[in-house]
Amino acid sequence: MNEKLKNLKIGFCLTGSYCTFNEAIEAMRELAEYGEVYPIFSYNVAITDTRFYAVKELYFDTELITKRKPVDSIVGAEQFGPVKKLDIVIIAPCTGNTLAKLANAITDTPVLMTAKAHLRNNRPVVIAASTNDALSSNAKNIGLLLNTKNIFFVPMKQDNPIEKQRSLVADFSKLRETIELAMEGKQLQPIF
C-alpha cells in the first residue's frame, strides 16, 4: 500500500466525458484501496445513459466501490466546504465545459461546488482533463487553471492527433503520482 495515499479522504468527481469512464472507475477502485472515496457526479453524469455506461450501472458500481451514495446535487456538495471533510478533490474525467466553468468561477453543478468549497479551504484539486477542444477554445482556460493556486493537472496527451488535432486526455496511469505530489503542493511534470 502506498503510504502517501493511506487514509486520505478523496472527493472523486465525474463529469461527462463518457468515453473515459472505464478508466475513471478503475482509478476510483484503486484509490478506494488507500482511503475513503466520496463520489460526486455532475448533473449530466447523474441522468445520462450512454453506450459506455448506463446511469443505473454507474450508481451501482460507484456505491459498490466506495460504500457511499454519489453526491448528485449542489446542496449535497455544499457539505464538503465548511467542515473540511476532504483532503483532496479529483475531477476525473474533467470535460472542457467543466474546465471553462472552473476557470471562470461558475458554480452550477455538484462537481463545481465541491471544487469551489475545497479550494476555499486551501486544499488541492486534481484535474484529469478529457476534452476535444483542449488545444483550441479551452487552451486559455487550461492556462488560467495552471496558474491557479492548489489546482494540479494529471499529465495529458493527444488521444488522436490525426483526426482530433485539438483533443487532449489525461494519462490515468499518472493519476496516483499526480495526487501524491499535489498533496505536497507540487505539479507532476511534464504536463504535456
Side-chain angles (χ1 to χ4, degrees):
M1 181 177 286
N2 187 315
E3 292 301 315
K4 289 183 179 181
L5 299 180
K6 191 175 180 182
N7 300 321
L8 282 182
K9 291 183 174 91
I10 302 164
F12 199 107
C13 303
L14 289 169
T15 68
S17 180
Y18 305 104
C19 61
T20 60
F21 272 22
N22 286 330
E23 288 177 289
I25 295 300
E26 206 43 52
M28 182 186 291
R29 189 181 325 278
E30 181 184 338
L31 292 171
E33 293 176 17
Y34 297 113
E36 297 177 46
V37 176
Y38 296 78
I40 300 109
F41 290 176
S42 72
Y43 288 132
N44 286 334
V45 167
I47 63 168
T48 308
D49 286 322
T50 71
R51 63 186 169 105
F52 301 102
Y53 244 109
V55 171
K56 202 175 204 179
E57 289 176 43
L58 186 62
Y59 272 86
F60 178 82
D61 288 353
T62 302
E63 286 182 44
L64 187 66
I65 292 166
T66 65
K67 313 292 187 262
R68 290 180 173 79
K69 290 188 179 296
V71 172
D72 56 11
S73 69
I74 287 180
V75 171
E78 286 177 324
Q79 67 173 307
F80 297 119
V83 296
K84 299 181 181 178
K85 194 172 196 171
L86 304 172
D87 297 310
I88 193 163
V89 166
I90 300 156
I91 306 174
C94 184
T95 61
N97 187 46
T98 299
L99 279 169
K101 289 178 178 184
L102 188 59
N104 290 285
I106 297 169
T107 308
D108 63 354
T109 71
V111 169
L112 292 161
M113 176 56 76
T114 301
K116 175 186 173 181
H118 199 65
L119 289 168
R120 180 184 77 184
N121 292 330
N122 205 27
R123 295 184 176 193
V125 172
V126 169
I127 296 173
S130 179
T131 177
N132 289 324
D133 65 356
L135 297 175
S136 58
S137 304
N138 253 311
K140 64 183 174 193
N141 296 318
I142 291 171
L144 283 170
L145 292 171
L146 283 169
N147 285 302
T148 301
K149 185 178 179 186
N150 291 319
I151 291 186
F152 304 91
F153 279 84
V154 176
M156 299 169 264
K157 60 185 176 184
Q158 287 183 284
D159 53 318
N160 186 348
I162 304 303
E163 295 177 15
K164 300 188 317 183
Q165 298 91 352
R166 292 164 184 82
S167 179
L168 289 177
V169 295
D171 181 349
F172 276 86
S173 71
K174 301 197 183 295
L175 178 62
R176 191 181 70 230
E177 191 177 358
T178 303
I179 294 167
E180 291 170 2
L181 286 173
M183 290 302 297
E184 298 174 14
K186 298 175 186 170
Q187 171 64 57
L188 178 62
Q189 297 291 340
I191 297 172
F192 299 102

